Amino acid sequence: MQPCNPNAKLETKCLHAGYTPKNGGPGTVPIVQSTTYRFDSTEKVAELFDMPTEPMYSRFANPTCDAVEQKIAALEGGVGAMLTSSGQAASLLSVLNLCSAGDSIVSVSTIYGGTVNLFGVTLKRFGIECIWVDPLADEETISQAIKPNTKLIFGETIANPALTVFDIEKFAKIAHAHQIPLIVDNTFATPILCRPIEFGADIVIHSTTKYMDGHALQCGGVIVDGGTFDWEKSGKFPDFTEPDESYHGVVYTREFGKMAYIIKARMQLMRDFGCYPAAHSAFLLNLGLETLPVRMKQYCENAMAVAKMLKQSDKIASVTYPNLPDDPYHEMAKKYLPNGTCGVISISIKGGREAAVRFMDALQLASIEVHVADIRTCVLHPASATHRQLTEEQLKAAGIDGGLIRISVGLENIEDILADLQQALERV
Ligand SMILES: *Cc1c(COP(=O)(O)O)cnc(C)c1O
């Protein structure tokens, strides 16, 4: 078998990238259920410590995971990737790979509630400060938030649940003018609908728990290295350009070139934190990835039909879906996500929190779940669930009000989805 052509289209990569069967070998990615790998000589192991081209120990590398990592890197157009045991772990490690106590990061305020907590509360306890910026602020205002100790800018392609579209090019330009990289959480868009590296992002992360897995089977995350950032030229990242004493004095940029970031993340952080997925989880994630292009197309179609229907209802104050022509982020969506945004819609129901609860409890097909981007239609009331820990002020900054409901439109027949929403609205 020939390895997947790097110029193949996304649908082809979803099926063929990352794993090339040997002559007579298994046709699908095998589950390598082993913590360890055997070697014939001490010299071989020493070589692997110098250049980790093959798995040595499953706390930070495994052949099944490796195949999936290569597939996702190919989809995003990156030079390498590393799976993590959750999306939260991906966010955490993507930042810790660049920051130490005493550093700061700049993040837009419209991001996932779990990330708001991680950056605003937990990282602060470890001495890393997060400076929040309005995604619509002008370049000068955003630049003012960047201090000499700022190591990165962070944003989300389509914010969960605010559904604002991130101006990747604007933020990449600001980050690069300050010699720091841009990290983009691309969970909702998936590489099928947006590839942030093409717009200047340097590092892309995902909660693979969502559309990538697609079937609500297991939590996971991934960090993709675009290989685009010049750590040497920047001068702000001595951890990349000076010897790592914890790794026999390796200088990551010298040894690993364009893959410095992702190899450092694995050989330093994953080695020490060990939040690596099991082979079986990677195998299931791979199944999800195989059908991702077909599913994303249908999610977008179904969500658009739901958005249009809800827009007509006099019980709904507003419908937020960037594909709608009158959405404030429609132009941005056309630029970054020309083939559709995702299957998630936010609605604000008239009558606030109380009406929201009545509507949700009346649903029969759609279920109430602390999940999103499931294959089945599900709904969530962010103010009383995922974003419960945020203050009123933070809720407002994240674009969330009491009547806000997040609808994750699934792949059931659209007529059944619409009928269910309609009957629940009638009961409000
Ligand atoms: C869910 C989510 C996360 C966190 O991922 P987990 O897999 O739940 O840890 C991060 N970012 C976004 C945009 C998400 O939707």
Side-chain angles (χ1 to χ4, degrees), residues 86-89 91 112 115 156 160 185 187-188 207 209-210 219-220 372:
S86 71
Q88 285 298 100
S91 309
Y112 174 63
T115 318
E156 219 166 280
N160 172 13
D185 180 340
T187 297
F188 270 20
S207 164
T209 315
K210 312 296 164 53
C219 287
V372 65

Side-chain angles (χ1 to χ4, degrees), residues 341-353:
T341 49
C342 60
V344 185
I345 295 172
S346 287
I347 59 169
S348 186
I349 203 154
K350 288 180 187 166
R353 207 175 261 260

Side-chain angles (χ1 to χ4, degrees), residues 103-108 129-133 138-154 170-182 236-237:
D103 287 335
S104 68
I105 67 174
V106 166
S107 173
V108 295
E129 180 197 12
C130 179
I131 299 150
W132 302 102
V133 294
D138 58 41
E139 289 184 24
E140 211 185 296
T141 313
I142 297 160
S143 296
Q144 279 163 7
I146 300 172
K147 303 192 290 187
N149 70 354
T150 302
K151 294 295 167 71
L152 64 100
I153 300 184
F154 189 96
K170 175 174 90 173
F171 280 89
K173 191 172 148 218
I174 299 167
H176 297 156
H178 291 83
Q179 282 85 44
I180 54 175
L182 176 66
K236 291 193 172 179
F237 298 92

Side-chain angles (χ1 to χ4, degrees), residues 232-342:
E232 279 174 352
K233 196 169 135 225
S234 158
K236 291 193 172 179
F237 298 92
D239 286 356
F240 286 72
T241 55
E242 288 169 19
D244 175 359
E245 294 314 329
S246 83
Y247 189 35
H248 58 268
V250 159
V251 175
Y252 291 100
T253 47
R254 198 189 302 150
E255 294 295 325
F256 307 116
K258 282 192 179 309
M259 290 181 75
Y261 176 90
I262 202 70
I263 294 197
K264 178 176 173 294
R266 189 186 300 276
M267 298 314 289
Q268 196 181 60
L269 297 182
M270 194 57 88
R271 176 199 65 190
D272 290 359
F273 292 157
C275 45
Y276 202 60
H280 192 256
S281 299
F283 175 82
L284 292 175
L285 171 57
N286 188 51
L287 283 187
L289 290 169
E290 290 185 338
T291 57
L292 189 62
V294 194
R295 289 188 289 110
M296 289 316 290
K297 193 161 172 251
Q298 192 63 42
Y299 279 122
C300 291
E301 242 174 66
N302 285 4
M304 192 62 180
V306 168
K308 280 185 176 158
M309 187 272 261
L310 293 175
K311 216 157 160 74
Q312 315 265 308
S313 168
D314 56 5
K315 300 208 170 154
I316 305 283
S318 64
V319 177
T320 304
Y321 187 55
N323 279 92
L324 290 172
D326 61 350
D327 188 277
Y329 287 88
H330 187 65
E331 286 308 311
M332 209 90 89
K334 276 208 305 211
K335 173 176 176 179
Y336 292 111
L337 302 130
N339 299 318
T341 49
C342 60

